[in-house]
Amino acid sequence: MKTWLAAVATALTVTLASPVLAQDGGWSLAIHGGAGVIERASLTPEQDAAYRAALDSALQVGAEVLDNGGSALDAVEAVIQVLEDDPLFNAGRGAVFTADGRIEHDAAIMDGTTLDAGAVAGLTRTRHPISAARAVMEDSPHVFLIGQGAETFARAQGLEEVEPAYFFTERRWRGLVRQLERDGLPVPARPEGAPPEGAMAVVTPPLDERKFGTVGVVALDREGRLAAGTSTGGMSGKRWGRVGDVPVIGAGTYASDADGCAVSATGSGEYFIRATVARDICARYAMERDHPEWERVRVDEMLAACDPDMICTVHMRRPVYIAASAEIREVGELGGEGGVIVMTRSGEPWFEMNTSGMYRGAVSSTEPAWVAIYADDPEYSPEDD
């Protein structure tokens, strides 16, 4: 049998790239709602269904924008607004509390065509932080505004404001109380204007929102333009004005048509900042895309090392996989966890994580919408190194 196998030509499995949607006037969209320890046992069937329905509804909003000729930026903003209004996610109305009992929002958006970007941190009254980030990009000479100054700017742009109690959710408050009590820290008074205790339905959060709660969108429009956006309430119980990777351009959010890549990240933000994840993914992707011979050398070396009495199967890895997996691996080596969504100019979405789950989904002009939660969901099948 070994002799027969040796006589058979060595098998080489090549994963083909997806159609080049940008050249065909197509569009593509991918979203995430946070990554972390999300396992089937931690979600009831009702919770599972609620998250999937919320992701699907957000995808439909983005699909309508892009299908009608809207820009990638418009789609990113519209979808994130939907997610910011959904209390299931740690952004906008579902945001977590600081140790002082406040809710502080961070967001960023980036235009891949011009490399223009806008970011905000520490907002407390602006209903849609992602819209404030876009206003910074388009209506100011700056990239990043924080705290009261950012709030004043958003108000001057006519963006909708709400009372801080608008963002209150019982499950986030109870999560903060449990965390502070566990850590031996003082519990602040219940926020002014919050509903009476017991008046609001509680849905047990299935993941550790202190680290992994974020929403993000990457999009390719019919004109071949890329954009990325991300929004978050940050870490539950955060102190001292902590800001994570989300509003840091190049860490949690990045887009570049020249690189052919848009990225939104979710995870333990300090590590994503240190690894400059979003920008590095795009840089790695562009280099791998422009130098396919590098991957060919790897394949040839692996085949050369194959036992001559065996049939070897080697995958030709996509450039986007090489880039995303390398960065998430680096985050893991630093001690961090999380995931990324990546969109290329071919319209190919990619999802990479080192956690047991990430709320995510995608839709395009050629493929119907799909959503997933767990790392081993059928829609997510990372290639082996």
Side-chain angles (χ1 to χ4, degrees):
M1 177 62 72
K2 281 191 175 182
T3 302
W4 180 82
L5 287 173
V8 179
T10 302
L12 174 63
T13 301
V14 178
T15 304
L16 299 177
S18 60
V20 183
L21 295 180
Q23 295 180 5
D24 299 332
W27 54 266
S28 187
L29 180 86
I31 67 174
H32 74 75
V37 183
I38 313 171
E39 299 172 344
R40 285 179 172 81
S42 67
L43 285 174
T44 66
E46 293 77 16
Q47 289 170 340
D48 183 294
Y51 275 101
R52 292 179 188 272
L55 292 168
D56 185 71
S57 294
L59 286 171
Q60 300 309 321
V61 169
E64 182 176 3
V65 172
L66 293 170
D67 203 45
N68 289 328
S71 71
L73 280 171
D74 290 340
V76 166
E77 181 181 17
V79 174
I80 291 181
Q81 285 180 344
V82 171
L83 296 171
E84 287 174 338
D85 282 342
D86 194 321
L88 287 175
F89 302 103
N90 178 15
R93 198 162 198 181
V96 297
F97 289 89
T98 69
D100 295 331
R102 293 159 48 89
I103 293 178
E104 298 177 352
H105 309 276
D106 308 332
I109 194 168
M110 187 163 185
D111 182 343
T113 303
T114 62
L115 298 186
D116 288 338
V120 291
L123 296 181
T124 61
R125 292 177 174 271
T126 304
R127 178 179 174 182
H128 290 123
I130 191 64
S131 297
R134 186 170 183 179
V136 171
M137 179 179 70
E138 295 181 337
D139 301 316
S140 87
H142 309 299
V143 170
F144 200 165
L145 300 180
I146 64 172
Q148 188 56 52
E151 207 92 74
T152 300
F153 172 79
R155 185 179 306 117
Q157 301 307 307
L159 298 182
E160 183 178 358
E161 281 194 326
V162 293
E163 291 298 318
Y166 167 85
F167 300 109
F168 180 95
T169 56
E170 191 67 42
R171 69 160 176 159
R172 303 299 192 196
W173 179 252
R174 292 189 185 182
L176 173 70
V177 171
R178 287 194 299 269
Q179 178 186 348
L180 295 178
E181 290 177 343
R182 183 183 65 241
D183 296 341
L185 296 172
V187 176
R190 191 175 178 89
E192 182 180 352
E197 190 169 359
M200 181 178 286
V202 178
V203 180
T204 303
L207 64 95
D208 182 357
E209 296 287 11
R210 288 180 297 164
K211 294 182 179 178
F212 306 121
T214 311
V215 302
V217 181
V218 289
L220 172 79
D221 63 28
R222 292 189 181 279
E223 301 299 321
R225 298 170 298 197
L226 289 163
T230 319
S231 182
T232 187
M235 294 173 62
S236 179
K238 63 186 178 182
R239 304 166 72 189
W240 310 303
R242 181 264 185 188
V243 176
D245 64 306
V246 164
V248 180
I249 302 301
T253 308
Y254 193 78
S256 168
D257 290 4
D259 288 341
C261 168
V263 179
S264 175
T266 172
S268 36
E270 281 71 12
Y271 299 97
F272 280 71
I273 293 172
R274 290 163 60 188
T276 58
V277 167
R279 175 66 183 96
D280 281 1
I281 286 176
C282 288
R284 287 179 187 263
Y285 170 74
M287 287 191 293
E288 293 289 344
R289 177 201 61 199
D290 295 341
H291 295 279
E293 69 275 10
W294 295 350
E295 180 65 2
R296 173 58 63 182
V297 168
R298 184 193 74 91
V299 169
D300 290 344
E301 289 175 347
M302 293 185 71
L303 292 177
C306 178
D307 187 328
D309 290 335
M310 302 294 290
I311 292 179
C312 295
T313 300
V314 180
H315 290 279
M316 182 74 81
R317 304 173 303 176
R318 293 186 179 100
V320 65
Y321 164 73
I322 297 172
S325 63
E327 284 299 312
I328 292 301
R329 184 164 53 248
E330 182 177 343
V331 167
E333 290 169 352
L334 290 173
E337 295 180 285
V340 294
I341 57 174
V342 186
M343 181 65 68
T344 70
R345 288 200 78 187
S346 68
E348 175 187 21
W350 193 263
F351 305 81
E352 194 70 32
M353 69 193 85
N354 64 2
T355 57
S356 60
M358 177 166 68
Y359 300 110
R360 63 198 186 278
V363 65
S364 76
S365 54
T366 61
E367 298 292 337
W370 62 264
V371 299
I373 297 176
Y374 315 105
D376 60 355
D377 270 345
E379 294 83 358
Y380 180 71
S381 53
E383 299 171 75
D384 294 332
D385 282 319

